[in-house]
Amino acid sequence: MPNFFNFFSKKKEPNLEVALQDIESWISSQSGKIFDNANLQGNVLIRKLRTSASDVKSAAEEFLKAEINAGELEKPLIPTILNSRNSIANKMINTISNLEFQEAKNFNELAETARHISQSLAQMNQTLKTHGRVVFTILNKEIRPLLTELKRMQREAAELSEIVEKNSDKANKVKHIRTTVSRLITLNTELLNDIASIDNAKRGSADVTKGEDEIIKRLEEAKHSKEYQDSQRIKEEAQQLTLKLSNLKVEFDTLFSRLRKPLEKYGYNVQLKKEDDLLLKKYVESPSKGLINDKDLAITMILERLKDMINCGKITVKTPEKVLKRIEEIQPILNSKRDLMEKTSKNYELIISSQSKSAIAEVNSMQESLDESREAKEDQKVFIEKTQLNICESIKNEKDFIFNIEENASDIFKVQLKIVGLPSDQD
């Protein structure tokens, strides 16, 4: 005895596999099949409508020739009757002349033809409503052949519209499938581009790493060369000399700081020569720079005069004894301090000039290349991560599209469709 539930279960068709590149043509083929009967019936009606329309046009042309036999009472209405007759007849003739009754190649063309014919008939009906009262009263007999042909055309047009209406839901579903297929193909193209971009980025990253290893090897060799080691030693010595010179300047500037304001007052009170005035300003702004530029130690004479003017009361300071003591402390060491600064500065310039710039330039150049390489590799890493997220999202959307297409295909085309040949199939 057959199983009770199996008896009522719906038998499923076996899976029909269609590759993505063939899905659009397959949908077109299936769509043509499910509308074959509608297209056949519709084209029969289009042929009938072509004949009916010709008959309507002929009847309208005859009606346009209809004579108006009006009695005495209707004679004032003749212009109005003529206008209504001409409006109806010409509207029918012109509208029919603009209609095309080409047989439809597919359901979309059939629906468009039905829509166009219905709109044209609606326009003709509107003209009849506008002028009918006059015509039906005076030219009732003359207009009957035209109305008979028009009603036949309307019945055939209604049958055509009914065929379209019965298949419209199916047509909308096919349209939805086509739209989804188009979106799927676009998404798949973007997905393939992203996959290719990642492959290129990974190959590029591997090439960068290979080049990076080579740079590191050459960089280590350059750093261990005698020329570079000597340059590094010189660099350290130069840094020590720079620090020493900086300390000497700070030490002298600190020692000289108590004399800045007194010297400013001295500059205001004494008419100095231009070069002496400039030198004094340098000492006030930066004592160490002033000392280095004071080749003849003109500051010695200036300090001596400053001391005399303080003693004579010509220049007043808050603590004259401290200022005078500081002058006494500085005067004996000016020469030695200047010589030490000059010597340190010259030693710095001498040792820097002996440094191998080519070795340093080579190492710096390789280090820059290495930094750029690492930055490029980091950019590629970020790009790959971002693109992989895009791929995951695209695959998810792609599966949603596929499910939608396969489900609708099962409903409309009565087949268990399976779309294959997608990047996600290779996971």
Side-chain angles (χ1 to χ4, degrees):
M1 180 178 177
N3 185 285
F4 180 81
F5 294 102
N6 287 340
F7 182 82
F8 288 98
S9 64
K10 183 179 178 181
K11 183 180 179 182
K12 289 188 175 181
E13 296 290 335
N15 283 346
L16 173 65
E17 294 188 350
V18 179
L20 177 62
Q21 66 263 26
D22 300 325
I23 191 65
E24 281 189 305
S25 59
W26 183 83
I27 295 291
S28 296
S29 171
Q30 295 301 307
S31 299
K33 290 177 183 177
I34 65 172
F35 293 115
D36 277 348
N37 190 45
N39 293 337
L40 182 63
Q41 293 177 16
N43 281 324
V44 169
L45 284 168
I46 288 173
R47 287 193 291 273
K48 288 183 178 180
L49 281 161
R50 186 186 302 126
T51 301
S52 298
S54 178
D55 292 341
V56 168
K57 184 179 178 182
S58 297
E61 289 170 346
E62 288 299 317
F63 179 62
L64 188 61
K65 301 173 185 176
E67 294 182 1
I68 301 172
N69 298 314
E72 290 297 325
L73 295 175
E74 288 85 8
K75 282 183 179 180
L77 297 175
I78 288 178
T80 302
I81 297 168
L82 284 172
N83 178 61
S84 295
R85 182 199 69 182
N86 295 344
S87 295
I88 291 172
N90 287 326
K91 181 64 177 179
M92 302 264 180
I93 293 168
N94 292 333
T95 302
I96 295 298
S97 298
N98 290 328
L99 278 173
E100 293 184 1
F101 297 93
Q102 297 291 333
E103 292 193 14
K105 298 176 183 177
N106 52 57
F107 184 78
N108 288 338
E109 288 187 5
L110 187 70
E112 181 60 24
T113 299
R115 184 187 66 79
H116 192 45
I117 292 172
S118 294
Q119 287 178 346
S120 298
L121 286 169
Q123 292 171 7
M124 289 190 283
N125 278 337
Q126 186 58 48
T127 302
L128 278 173
K129 287 180 181 179
T130 302
H131 300 279
R133 189 166 62 88
V134 174
V135 171
F136 295 152
T137 302
I138 308 301
L139 298 174
N140 183 48
K141 181 181 177 182
E142 289 80 357
I143 200 172
R144 285 193 176 279
L146 173 58
L147 294 178
T148 300
E149 299 300 337
L150 183 61
K151 285 181 180 179
R152 178 159 61 93
M153 185 178 177
Q154 288 172 333
R155 284 196 301 272
E156 291 166 354
E159 289 179 37
L160 181 61
S161 295
E162 186 179 358
I163 291 171
V164 171
E165 182 63 28
K166 284 181 179 178
N167 289 272
S168 61
D169 184 58
K170 195 188 300 181
N172 288 334
K173 289 181 178 179
V174 169
K175 183 180 179 182
H176 174 73
I177 289 181
R178 287 181 183 276
T179 301
T180 309
V181 166
S182 178
R183 292 173 66 188
L184 173 62
I185 291 172
T186 300
L187 180 64
N188 190 65
T189 300
E190 293 172 355
L191 179 57
L192 291 173
N193 288 338
D194 282 344
I195 291 172
S197 295
I198 282 188
D199 290 340
N200 290 335
K202 286 180 177 179
R203 284 195 293 271
S205 184
D207 292 340
V208 169
T209 300
K210 184 178 179 182
E212 190 177 286
D213 293 340
E214 180 63 28
I215 293 172
I216 291 172
K217 181 181 177 182
R218 290 191 292 111
L219 184 59
E220 288 302 312
E221 291 174 353
K223 284 183 176 180
H224 286 88
S225 68
K226 184 179 183 303
E227 191 178 16
Y228 183 76
Q229 292 292 327
D230 289 343
S231 295
Q232 288 300 101
R233 176 182 53 77
I234 291 170
K235 182 181 178 181
E236 290 175 3
E237 291 177 6
Q239 288 174 342
Q240 291 175 1
L241 288 171
T242 301
L243 180 60
K244 181 180 178 180
L245 182 59
S246 177
N247 290 335
L248 287 170
K249 289 178 179 180
V250 169
E251 181 184 339
F252 185 76
D253 288 345
T254 304
L255 186 64
F256 205 88
S257 60
R258 184 166 285 174
L259 302 181
R260 286 180 174 176
K261 286 188 177 181
L263 284 173
E264 284 182 340
K265 291 182 178 182
Y266 176 81
Y268 295 144
N269 286 277
V270 178
Q271 188 69 33
L272 296 172
K273 290 188 292 185
K274 184 177 180 180
E275 58 269 21
D276 290 339
D277 184 56
L278 290 173
L279 180 64
L280 182 62
K281 287 178 179 177
K282 286 182 180 178
Y283 270 102
V284 171
E285 290 171 4
S286 173
S288 55
K289 286 183 180 179
L291 182 61
I292 292 172
N293 286 280
D294 191 2
K295 303 301 180 183
D296 300 323
L297 285 180
I299 191 65
T300 304
M301 185 61 68
I302 292 173
L303 289 175
E304 194 63 35
R305 290 175 182 170
L306 174 62
K307 187 165 58 173
D308 291 342
M309 292 181 78
I310 291 173
N311 286 326
C312 295
K314 292 181 180 180
I315 292 177
T316 57
V317 293
K318 287 184 179 180
T319 54
E321 64 280 359
K322 291 183 178 180
V323 174
L324 293 171
K325 182 181 177 183
R326 183 55 53 87
I327 293 174
E328 295 292 337
E329 292 173 349
I330 288 176
Q331 282 180 321
I333 63 170
L334 286 171
N335 192 51
S336 60
K337 287 288 183 182
R338 188 193 62 183
D339 290 346
L340 186 55
M341 287 184 195
E342 284 186 344
K343 182 180 179 182
T344 305
S345 181
K346 287 179 180 178
N347 287 341
Y348 172 80
E349 292 174 1
L350 184 63
I351 200 169
I352 284 295
S353 65
S354 66
Q355 192 177 36
S356 175
K357 293 182 180 178
S358 61
I360 294 174
E362 182 183 8
V363 168
N364 289 342
S365 176
M366 284 189 285
Q367 186 63 53
E368 285 178 9
S369 297
L370 185 60
D371 292 340
E372 289 173 1
S373 175
R374 287 170 176 169
E375 185 177 345
K377 195 163 69 171
E378 186 61 29
D379 289 343
Q380 285 174 329
K381 180 183 175 183
V382 172
F383 170 77
I384 289 171
E385 290 173 352
K386 183 180 178 181
T387 307
Q388 283 175 333
L389 289 175
N390 290 341
I391 288 174
C392 291
E393 183 66 20
S394 295
I395 289 174
K396 177 181 176 299
N397 292 334
E398 190 176 68
K399 288 179 179 178
D400 290 340
F401 286 150
I402 291 169
F403 176 79
N404 187 291
I405 294 167
E406 291 175 348
E407 284 292 299
N408 281 286
S410 175
D411 177 42
I412 298 172
F413 304 130
K414 310 304 179 187
V415 62
Q416 294 299 312
L417 175 66
K418 181 175 177 59
I419 300 174
V420 296
L422 297 154
S424 52
D425 294 337
Q426 302 172 9
D427 292 346

